[in-house]
Amino acid sequence: MINIAVLGYGVVGSGVVEVIGHNHEEVSRKAGEEVRVRYILDLRDFPGDPYEDRIIHDFNTILNDPEIAIVCEVMGGTGAAYQFTRQLLEAGKSVCTSNKELVAKHGAEFLELAAARHCNYMFEASVGGGIPIIRSVNTALTAEKIESVTAILNGTTNYILTRMAGEGADYGQALKQAQELGYAERNPEADVEGYDACRKLAILSSLIKGKNVDAGQIYTEGITGITGADFEYARMEGLVIKQLAIGKMEEDGSVLAMVAPFLLSEEHPLAAVNDVFNAVLVTGNMLGDVIFYGRGAGKLPTASAVVADVIDCAKHRGKNVICIWDREAAKAADVTDTKRRFFLRAKADTRKAVEETFAGGKSITLPGVENEFGFFTRELEEKDFDAKCKSMGDAVLNRIRLL
Ligand code: HSE
């Protein structure tokens, strides 16, 4: 019998219990022994819940139980979750988590600790929800020199952008739906301002680089500035708007990492990734492109990834599975040095100035719209683009990068 504990009985925690219950035979057969949830730690009581008898409030019960070798940390945050994870790993208990904030911040530290204590710290569910991207980077793609990842890593924002593009739903309405579906973070600012995708990109880039990519150094922009008008211009040009997370391993050893809304061709494989789905396009030097696609948020897909880690930990009891992510900081490349095209919307009476300032670009107008126009620049360095925008005062209403 493999007894496990679950820290946090929220959306993902209840999903973990449900996956183990629903797929009990499957999970136990693959783990090699019956898997049973012995404890569920939460501050709350759950009267009437089928697992009511497993709810406990004292973490030490789990820490001091020698029969608990695997713990799922699905409580989120970096406070108690950090302390608990450290204590568990120090005690030689493996930890499986969906807590991307904690993994992004302390992944290298916990991996080091797990290796020293011959146990494991696994975090498949922390990036891309149910998509098996972490394990793929660590195993199936391990012979590759990964050159870049271009990804949709936040289900909530992808859901919002899909609703806005398709039904013309307004931003607030779409966010509310995403929250009701259990996709959004407790504080949805983490989703819509890009912080959640930034943390996931930090994890992915760190694993690819093998060094620590600090989330705080990743250029991050949210989707709150995107309006219905942006979608109309995009549609006219055969483009879609997606919130992308891009990690590029540069020749000089630095990592170029950014999260921002991008315009991309309708033909691009990521353009067809809609609703809560996430996708990660990985480019390897031998393999070329490979895409991972699936549900990036939601109770059961995320929980399924946590339980997969539980099975992996069960199969490797007493043995650390190597995962290379050193504490050493990866060098961050400067986004403002990169070159790309930009789309901007500007006030109609500034058209001449915009066309002169961004010579070589193309203006477009929306039928029936007279107070503004759209403009696609030629390829420019980010810092050059920013300086030109600044030089025109408040003429520019919004701008979006082109992939
Ligand atoms: N809020 C996250 C998202 C949950 O929308 O992608 C999954 O990490």
Side-chain angles (χ1 to χ4, degrees):
M1 172 90 76
I2 299 166
N3 285 297
I4 71 155
V6 178
L7 310 184
Y9 202 33
V11 174
V12 183
S14 59
V16 166
V17 173
E18 191 175 331
V19 169
I20 291 173
H22 195 271
N23 283 359
H24 191 247
E25 215 182 294
E26 197 71 16
V27 168
S28 298
R29 184 169 59 81
K30 289 173 181 165
E33 271 177 77
E34 187 186 349
V35 175
R36 189 175 176 275
V37 177
R38 177 174 281 183
Y39 305 115
I40 301 169
L41 182 80
D42 204 286
L43 292 170
R44 302 161 292 179
D45 287 310
F46 294 86
D49 187 279
Y51 290 87
E52 187 186 356
D53 60 332
R54 324 280 168 93
I55 305 281
I56 57 163
H57 306 302
D58 182 5
F59 168 70
N60 288 314
T61 308
I62 295 167
L63 188 64
N64 297 329
D65 185 337
E67 286 183 14
I68 295 287
I70 305 167
V71 178
C72 302
E73 184 276 294
V74 284
M75 54 196 286
T78 57
Y82 172 79
Q83 299 300 342
F84 292 168
T85 301
R86 256 209 90 85
Q87 290 180 66
L88 290 164
L89 294 173
E90 267 166 1
K93 298 180 193 291
S94 290
V95 176
C96 309
T97 189
S98 58
N99 185 344
K100 49 255 157 144
E101 194 178 357
L102 191 66
V103 179
K105 209 164 165 191
H106 297 288
E109 173 191 336
F110 289 153
L111 285 169
E112 199 179 275
L113 185 53
R117 296 289 191 274
H118 310 289
C119 57
N120 287 289
Y121 184 57
M122 293 197 177
F123 42 88
E124 182 60 71
S126 68
V127 180
I131 303 176
I133 184 65
I134 301 290
R135 202 163 270 105
S136 299
V137 165
N138 282 343
T139 58
L141 299 178
T142 197
E144 284 296 309
K145 186 170 171 194
I146 295 176
E147 293 169 347
S148 66
V149 281
T150 308
I152 293 173
L153 289 180
N154 183 268
T156 302
T157 46
N158 203 44
Y159 182 86
I160 293 172
L161 293 175
T162 305
R163 296 270 87 77
M164 286 174 79
E167 301 144 26
D170 78 29
Y171 169 84
Q173 233 178 4
L175 171 60
K176 196 163 166 276
Q177 285 167 349
Q179 285 175 303
E180 283 163 5
L181 288 163
Y183 301 157
E185 296 301 301
R186 219 169 289 158
N187 176 3
E189 198 183 68
D191 296 299
V192 298
E193 295 295 355
Y195 312 141
D196 178 77
C198 163
R199 289 164 188 151
K200 292 166 176 168
L201 180 62
I203 297 169
L204 212 45
S205 305
S206 296
L207 288 176
I208 292 169
K209 192 70 200 168
K211 292 183 187 172
N212 197 54
V213 174
D214 181 0
Q217 291 203 316
I218 295 180
Y219 175 87
T220 302
E221 204 178 294
I223 62 160
T224 49
I226 305 290
T227 64
D230 295 315
F231 284 101
E232 287 182 50
Y233 288 106
R235 214 170 295 126
M236 265 179 76
E237 291 292 302
L239 300 168
V240 299
I241 303 171
K242 293 287 177 194
Q243 171 81 342
L244 297 184
I246 299 175
K248 259 181 91 184
M249 306 302 127
E250 301 284 26
E251 292 288 328
D252 68 358
S254 62
V255 178
L256 175 77
M258 68 186 299
V259 172
F262 274 83
L263 282 158
L264 51 154
S265 159
E266 281 170 353
E267 310 298 322
H268 192 284
L270 295 179
V273 177
N274 288 321
D275 296 310
V276 73
F277 285 86
N278 283 194
V280 188
L281 168 63
V282 182
T283 305
N285 66 335
M286 297 289 122
L287 173 71
D289 288 348
V290 58
I291 295 192
F292 297 84
Y293 171 85
R295 285 179 192 277
K299 177 174 161 170
L300 295 176
T302 310
S304 173
V306 176
V307 177
D309 281 349
V310 169
I311 295 172
D312 211 1
C313 287
K315 291 199 290 202
H316 293 95
R317 266 181 297 173
K319 189 173 180 296
N320 178 252
V321 179
I322 294 171
C323 177
I324 303 169
W325 174 353
D326 294 343
R327 284 187 195 233
E328 185 192 339
K331 191 172 156 227
D334 188 348
V335 170
T336 66
D337 288 338
T338 56
K339 273 187 163 180
R340 63 184 84 257
R341 293 180 66 213
F342 296 84
F343 164 73
L344 60 88
R345 281 171 38 231
K347 294 176 181 168
D349 58 1
T350 65
R351 182 160 177 163
K352 197 160 165 281
V354 168
E355 287 175 347
E356 272 172 23
T357 308
F358 292 102
K362 174 184 122 176
S363 293
I364 59 166
T365 47
L366 287 178
V369 175
E370 285 172 7
N371 58 346
E372 64 164 74
F373 70 103
F375 188 85
F376 290 91
T377 71
R378 63 187 159 82
E379 201 172 75
L380 291 167
E381 260 190 12
E382 288 242 355
K383 54 175 172 285
D384 189 15
F385 174 78
D386 287 340
K388 286 182 193 303
C389 286
K390 231 182 224 159
S391 74
M392 285 186 300
D394 61 357
V396 176
L397 302 168
N398 195 16
R399 58 113 177 85
I400 310 176
R401 296 172 178 83
L402 269 81
L403 187 65

